[in-house]
Amino acid sequence: MVRKLHQYYYYIIAAILIGGIILYFYYSYINRPMFALELDPTKDTTDISGTLYRIRLTNIGQNEVTGILVNLGEGDIQNLSSLQPGQSYFFYPKPETSPAMISVTTNEGLHIQGDYRSPTKVLGLPGAGR
């Protein structure tokens, strides 16, 4: 009898934990903004290929974002028709574009800016330098 009682306690604890995890993810989902973008411009320097620039744009909102214009520098404006929720897209500046502040605008009125960051290098990994 006592053994069965302990078994029920484990089931109750497991149900509470699973319910808590479900509530956490539901709460996170319903509190996301309707329209939001995450901008991650990266400047990566390697021994082999020199300096590489890439811009990752991710839709972190609940709805599709449309009419995306990305200004990568003087004379280098690239566009993307739409980005679905959770989808990412990479932009690469033209070789003649001098690196500058990245500016993104959308039809939904979003306007974000970002500057290039350099990823941390770990010795022993490809591209880590010497």
Side-chain angles (χ1 to χ4, degrees):
M1 182 72 171
V2 174
R3 181 175 278 180
K4 283 191 177 188
L5 226 81
H6 286 278
Q7 212 173 21
Y8 289 125
Y9 288 136
Y10 293 131
Y11 290 141
I12 291 171
I13 291 172
I16 291 171
L17 287 174
I18 291 171
I21 291 170
I22 290 171
L23 283 175
Y24 170 77
F25 284 111
Y26 177 72
Y27 181 76
S28 297
Y29 177 76
I30 64 171
N31 286 319
R32 285 190 324 180
M34 296 302 273
F35 300 103
L37 291 173
E38 178 181 73
L39 178 66
D40 185 21
T42 307
K43 173 185 174 183
D44 195 8
T45 306
T46 62
D47 291 343
I48 298 170
S49 58
T51 303
L52 300 172
Y53 297 94
R54 75 170 176 249
I55 296 89
R56 182 179 56 130
L57 193 62
T58 304
N59 183 350
I60 58 172
Q62 292 184 23
N63 295 336
E64 176 184 34
V65 177
T66 60
I68 302 165
L69 288 175
V70 181
N71 187 347
L72 303 172
E74 263 186 59
D76 192 359
I77 297 175
Q78 299 179 18
N79 60 6
L80 182 65
S81 61
S82 67
L83 204 56
Q84 297 295 323
Q87 185 180 16
S88 291
Y89 188 82
F90 287 92
F91 293 92
Y92 298 93
K94 296 175 186 173
E96 64 271 7
T97 304
S98 61
M101 178 77 68
I102 308 302
S103 176
V104 179
T105 57
T106 69
N107 287 346
E108 290 75 23
L110 295 175
H111 181 77
I112 56 175
Q113 291 183 327
D115 203 4
Y116 287 99
R117 68 173 180 85
S118 295
T120 306
K121 301 291 183 179
V122 178
L123 290 177
L125 295 177
R130 294 184 197 350

